[in-house]
């Protein structure tokens, strides 16, 4: 059975029209990779995170059919991160814990009923950085050890501060990008970091050979979060308009799905076909808090857990974007609220395109995210 995505007219365009044109040209490029879509051309492009000097690169992926669980799904074109999200990118989100604390102290940018939809949680400061930064703190290393919830909140922050729409990939989208038009993605020493060549440490991104669509480290280095739960039930389409990817939406906290293998795992795990579950028993074992952190995993075996981001050609409505950004199980949000409100660990605040100016006005943070 082929489930065909409905026309893109069922979607709204990105909230900011100018941003919606980023990576889109009207004339056929004379060189380099591009994807033709509705008479226009999607091209690779770099984005600078507002208020920072940090840039990341997005690569266009053609639409196509992908087989998951024995069924064939049709995907619309999209962009995906050229590499995994790096520490250089992720630290800007980590730093928001101290930023929001300063806003609270100053009584500015408070959450109200009018702006609550634009609020995010910022992760608590690290209990023991030796876990998270076991592989080092180079800004070009993949960011690791965050929960799926934290990765989703990162995509909400990035979307609201930039005026675009970013999210985690579905398993179907991840597989499609990894395979790059092939029936299987073969891992080797030339294109993947694995336990036999990485010396039990994640490595600086984009050092190995890219796949056929110009994506680095899809295999090995860091395992990558998807939107999906880890189970064997049939994939289901979202209950909204067509064109959104098929997702196995989680209904419990664990297990959730990671893809791609890692620097800690055998090369046989670096495959589009392999599915890795998140581990409730071990990954939070060293966390001294009760309840455990909703943002971080404090265990050696989770120091290879990272993610990359997707930008669809057209975004869903503002309300439906929350499904991609927020906690999908009530307990996750309850724990985050308890940690912030009762324990003072982590913070919440409003994100919009004025946030960088507000950060500048109320003081910057040092390179480790601590208050100066």
């Amino acid at each position: 059975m082929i489930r065909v995505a409905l026309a893109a007219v069922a979607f709204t365009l990105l909230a900011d029209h100018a941003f919606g044109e980023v990576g889109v040209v009207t004339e056929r490029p004379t060189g380099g990779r591009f994807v033709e879509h509705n008479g226009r051309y999607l091209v690779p492009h770099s984005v600078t995170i507002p208020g920072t000097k940090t840039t990341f690169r997005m690569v266009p992926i053609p639409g196509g059919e992908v087989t998951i669980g024995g069924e064939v799904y049709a995907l619309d074109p999209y962009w995906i991160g050229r590499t995994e999200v790096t520490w250089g990118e992720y630290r800007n989100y980590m730093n928001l814990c101290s930023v929001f604390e300063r806003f609270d102290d100053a009584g500015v940018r408070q959450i109200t009923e009018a702006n609550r939809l634009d609020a995010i949680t910022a992760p608590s400061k690290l209990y023991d950085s030796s876990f998270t930064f076991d592989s080092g703190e180079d800004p070009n290393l993949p960011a690791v050890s965050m929960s799926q919830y934290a990765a989703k909140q990162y995509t909400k922050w990035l979307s609201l501060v930039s005026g675009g729409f970013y999210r985690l990939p579905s398993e179907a989208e991840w597989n499609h990008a990894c395979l790059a038009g092939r029936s299987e993605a073969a891992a080797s020493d030339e294109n993947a970091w694995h336990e036999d060549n990485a010396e039990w440490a994640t490595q600086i991104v984009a050092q190995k050979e890219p796949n056929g669509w110009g994506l680095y480290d899809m295999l090995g280095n860091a395992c990558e979060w998807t939107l999906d739960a880890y189970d064997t039930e049939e994939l289901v389409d979202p209950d909204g308009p067509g064109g959104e990817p098929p997702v196995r939406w989680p209904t419990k906290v664990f297990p959730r799905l990671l893809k791609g293998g890692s620097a800690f795992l055998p090369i046989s795990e670096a495959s589009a076909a392999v599915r890795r579950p998140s581990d409730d028993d071990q990954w939070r074992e060293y966390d001294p808090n009760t309840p455990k952190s909703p943002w971080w995993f404090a265990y050696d075996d989770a120091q290879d857990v990272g993610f990359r981001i997707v930008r669809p050609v057209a975004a869903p409505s503002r309300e439906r974007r929350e499904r991609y950004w927020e906690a999908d199980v009530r307990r996750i949000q309850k724990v985050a609220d308890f940690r912030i409100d009762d324990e003072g660990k982590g913070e919440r605040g409003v994100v919009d395109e004025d946030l960088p100016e507000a950060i500048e006005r109320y003081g910057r943070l040092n390179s480790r995210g601590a208050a100066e």
Side-chain angles (χ1 to χ4, degrees):
M1 171 182 171
I2 298 179
R3 299 185 180 181
V4 180
L6 299 180
V9 295
F11 291 87
T12 60
L13 292 177
L14 295 174
D16 184 288
H17 179 72
F19 188 93
E21 298 302 311
V22 171
V24 180
V25 298
T26 57
E27 295 186 6
R28 183 182 182 89
T30 58
R33 285 202 68 253
F34 62 87
V35 171
E36 185 173 3
H37 179 63
N38 291 342
R40 301 197 296 173
Y41 303 91
L42 315 183
V43 295
H45 60 280
S46 294
V47 178
T48 299
I49 299 175
T52 78
K53 296 181 180 179
T54 307
T55 63
F56 59 91
R57 193 154 180 83
M58 302 295 288
V59 175
I61 303 299
E65 294 176 0
V66 60
T67 302
I68 301 287
E71 289 207 55
V72 180
Y73 297 85
L75 300 177
D76 286 346
Y78 53 96
W79 289 269
I80 195 169
R82 177 174 174 265
T83 70
E84 296 144 338
V85 171
T86 64
W87 280 125
E89 298 160 51
Y90 198 73
R91 277 188 180 277
N92 295 292
Y93 166 64
M94 291 171 60
N95 290 349
L96 291 176
C97 183
S98 293
V99 167
F100 293 157
E101 286 175 355
R102 291 188 179 192
F103 289 166
D104 285 344
D105 291 343
V108 299
R109 294 182 61 87
Q110 300 299 290
I111 298 173
T112 67
E113 286 304 314
N115 63 22
R116 189 172 300 278
L117 194 64
D118 294 332
I120 69 163
T121 67
S124 57
K125 298 180 179 72
L126 295 173
Y127 170 72
D128 182 349
S129 62
S130 66
F131 284 112
T132 299
F133 294 114
D134 186 57
S135 295
E137 299 188 45
D138 190 296
N140 293 309
L141 285 168
V144 293
S145 79
M146 75 291 294
S147 66
Q148 188 207 52
Y149 170 69
K152 290 167 70 174
Q153 289 283 279
Y154 173 93
T155 64
K156 182 175 183 178
W157 159 73
L158 181 62
S159 299
L160 295 179
V161 78
S162 69
F165 174 61
Y166 297 97
R167 58 170 171 78
L168 294 179
S170 68
E171 180 184 14
E173 290 169 322
W174 192 97
N175 281 6
H176 183 57
C178 180
L179 291 171
R182 298 171 178 258
S183 59
E184 182 51 85
S188 67
D189 285 344
E190 286 67 43
N191 66 8
W193 293 109
H194 52 85
E195 67 175 5
D196 292 332
N197 67 3
E199 298 183 353
W200 198 255
T202 56
Q203 304 292 317
I204 289 173
V205 299
Q207 294 189 92
K208 294 293 187 178
E209 293 178 355
N211 74 359
W213 287 341
L215 304 176
Y216 291 87
D217 301 310
M218 290 296 290
L219 302 178
N221 213 12
C223 284
E224 300 180 18
W225 283 118
T226 67
L227 292 164
D228 300 68
Y230 177 89
D231 57 40
T232 57
E233 295 178 7
E234 179 184 359
L235 281 161
V236 295
D237 288 314
D239 54 9
E244 295 182 50
V247 178
R248 184 183 289 107
W249 292 103
T251 58
K252 53 189 177 181
V253 179
F254 288 91
R256 292 167 185 246
L257 180 63
L258 298 116
K259 299 287 292 189
S262 82
F264 297 0
L265 298 174
I267 192 170
S268 60
E269 299 289 307
S271 164
V274 173
R275 309 173 79 242
R276 182 186 182 187
S278 56
D279 192 326
D280 188 21
D281 293 331
Q282 285 194 327
W283 288 7
R284 301 191 293 185
E285 181 177 346
Y286 295 161
D287 189 335
N289 300 286
T290 302
K292 306 298 186 183
S293 173
W295 301 287
W296 296 108
F297 294 120
Y299 192 74
D300 293 345
D301 283 357
Q303 304 319 299
D304 61 344
V305 172
F307 66 104
R308 75 179 68 213
I309 59 175
V310 156
R311 175 190 159 203
V313 169
S317 67
R318 178 63 184 82
E319 290 72 22
R320 283 194 56 76
R321 299 180 201 189
E322 296 298 300
R323 187 167 197 182
Y324 293 100
W325 292 338
E326 295 294 348
D328 42 41
V329 174
R330 179 171 171 76
R331 174 169 173 75
I332 297 173
Q333 189 62 55
K334 287 180 65 176
V335 169
D337 291 343
F338 177 82
R339 293 294 299 276
I340 293 170
D341 297 331
D342 291 52
E343 297 186 335
K345 297 176 180 177
E347 272 290 346
R348 66 171 68 84
V350 174
V351 180
D352 55 30
E353 293 176 55
D354 295 329
L355 178 60
E357 180 183 351
I359 294 173
E360 189 69 33
R361 181 181 307 167
Y362 290 96
R364 302 197 67 82
L365 306 171
N366 67 29
S367 61
R368 296 185 63 84
E372 294 178 330

